[in-house]
Amino acid sequence: MDGYLGIIVIVAIVAILAVGGLWLLFRPKAKDLPPAPPAPPEPKAPVVEEPAKAGLGEEDGGTTTTLPPPAPPIEELIKAPEIEVPPPSAGRMVRLRSRLARSQNVLGRGLLELLSRDRLDDEVWDEIEETLITADVGVAPTRAMVEELRTKVKVLGTRTPDEVRKLLRDELLAQVAPDLDRTLHTEPHGERPAVVLVVGVNGTGKTTTTGKLARVLVGDGRKVVLGAADTFRAAATDQLQTWGDRVGAGVVRGPEGGDPASVAFDAVAKGIEDKADTVIVDTAGRLHTKTGLMDELGKVKRVIEKKAAVDEVLLVLDATTGQNGMRQAQVFAEVVNVTGIALTKLDGTAKGGIVISVQRELGVPVKLVGLGEGPDDLAPFDPEVFVDALLGD
């Protein structure tokens, strides 16, 4: 029995040695094995270098670090315009009185000097009449004024400088017609905004007046929408856009050469949608001799009235053109029923008398006057301030 166990043990040892020998003989070589994947690099802690000590370089124990320049900030491609807050309309004409007084030399001071003479003969009265006509008062108003002044001078007899001044002031004020209603109808009507149509000939400052009027209304706390219906001049549309952007007023514009009536209609529609207080529509500066263009202006007004009533039609006149502007005013009045006059450039070479003549000829009040080129130089017309500025202090 012991002999069989010994044989079994010997056989088992031989078998183990045989298997081991076979494995050593046929084991794969290292070059036949696929390469082991590289081990992922261990994360390194960021190295923070201290700035070099003053006066020391690397060889002196300091550390010099060269940093890349900071990336420039990304600028906005389109910057939102800065919204301005215009001053209110109240007291504007008083503040601008000195500019208005520039036209006083011909009319106010000239008349005061003539009426202060000791002897008023026919020759002096002819000079007074010439002064009034030269100041663009007009022939008919001039004759009425001279006749009235002659009568009052006879009643007064001797005249002190204060009496002469009061006499002339009262007469000029009467001719300017202080009782005319100069209300600018820009108040909304319930859900509907007021609509102001601005008309006039090229070169009178119509688009500029439209923009300045928007500033006046925004200064009074109104919400305004502008309609750029002068589609024949791209510059006019861009100019109006600039005016609107400066005070936060929406601007409705159309393609160059597009239908002005369509733009005007869309502007009123936007005014209603945005619950605006006032919509101001700037029209093309059409020549009054072009019948077709005047008919188109009438069309603009009719199209607007399909959406809302036109509350105000402002005719812009250049005060320096004097009586040459009267024919323009008459034709515009026939086409669109002008409700108010805006006189521009009244601060420079204008002679002031145009205020009297245009009101007398049209029966329409002067409601706005331009007294400078600044953005806030448009003012509601005040008859007493106007006359006092003409006469000077």
Side-chain angles (χ1 to χ4, degrees), residues 15 26 38 61 81 148 197 201 232 235 263 266 277 295:
F26 296 103
E148 188 69 20
L197 189 64
V201 175
F232 301 106
V263 175
D266 291 343
D277 299 306
D295 290 342

Side-chain angles (χ1 to χ4, degrees), residues 150-160 163-164 167:
R150 273 190 160 186
T151 301
K152 291 181 178 180
V153 165
K154 288 180 180 179
V155 172
L156 280 175
T158 58
R159 304 169 312 282
T160 65
E163 287 174 334
V164 170
L167 175 69

Side-chain angles (χ1 to χ4, degrees), residues 102-320:
R102 293 174 188 172
S103 60
Q104 72 187 17
N105 292 332
V106 174
L107 183 55
R109 289 185 177 178
L111 290 176
L112 279 175
E113 190 274 329
L114 290 170
L115 288 171
S116 298
R117 294 183 181 180
D118 294 334
R119 185 169 178 268
L120 296 178
D121 54 17
D122 289 343
E123 185 177 341
V124 174
W125 285 112
D126 287 344
E127 287 187 56
I128 292 174
E129 184 172 322
E130 182 181 352
T131 299
L132 288 168
I133 292 176
T134 305
D136 291 328
V137 173
V139 176
T142 292
R143 290 176 177 170
M145 282 188 68
V146 170
E147 190 64 30
E148 188 69 20
L149 286 170
R150 273 190 160 186
T151 301
K152 291 181 178 180
V153 165
K154 288 180 180 179
V155 172
L156 280 175
T158 58
R159 304 169 312 282
T160 65
D162 288 342
E163 287 174 334
V164 170
R165 180 184 176 82
K166 183 179 185 307
L167 175 69
L168 185 55
R169 183 184 188 278
D170 292 344
E171 186 58 32
L172 286 172
L173 196 56
Q175 293 296 327
V176 173
D179 296 333
L180 286 178
D181 182 12
R182 302 180 194 277
T183 305
L184 201 60
H185 300 286
T186 57
E187 294 281 353
H189 308 273
E191 299 295 323
R192 182 180 69 79
V195 178
V196 179
L197 189 64
V198 182
V199 301
V201 175
N202 278 331
T204 58
K206 180 178 48 57
T207 301
T208 299
T209 299
T210 301
K212 289 183 178 181
L213 177 56
R215 290 182 65 89
V216 170
L217 297 179
V218 170
D220 289 339
R222 307 280 179 79
K223 184 177 182 180
V224 178
V225 170
L226 297 172
D230 187 354
T231 59
F232 301 106
R233 284 195 313 129
T237 301
D238 293 340
Q239 182 182 2
L240 200 62
Q241 183 74 57
T242 300
W243 281 106
D245 291 343
R246 290 173 68 176
V247 295
V251 179
V252 175
R253 51 192 297 173
E256 185 175 355
D259 182 14
S262 176
V263 175
F265 183 88
D266 291 343
V268 176
K270 179 173 176 58
I272 295 174
E273 179 184 350
D274 294 351
K275 301 187 184 304
D277 299 306
T278 312
V279 176
I280 311 174
V281 179
D282 177 34
T283 61
R286 55 205 79 241
L287 296 174
H288 65 284
T289 55
K290 302 293 185 180
T291 305
L293 292 176
M294 294 303 292
D295 290 342
E296 184 180 278
L297 181 59
K299 174 189 172 184
V300 170
K301 185 171 183 288
R302 291 191 300 272
V303 169
I304 290 176
E305 288 172 337
K306 293 180 180 180
K307 195 73 175 177
V310 176
D311 299 272
E312 194 83 59
V313 178
L314 283 178
L315 173 61
V316 181
L317 292 178
D318 183 342
T320 62

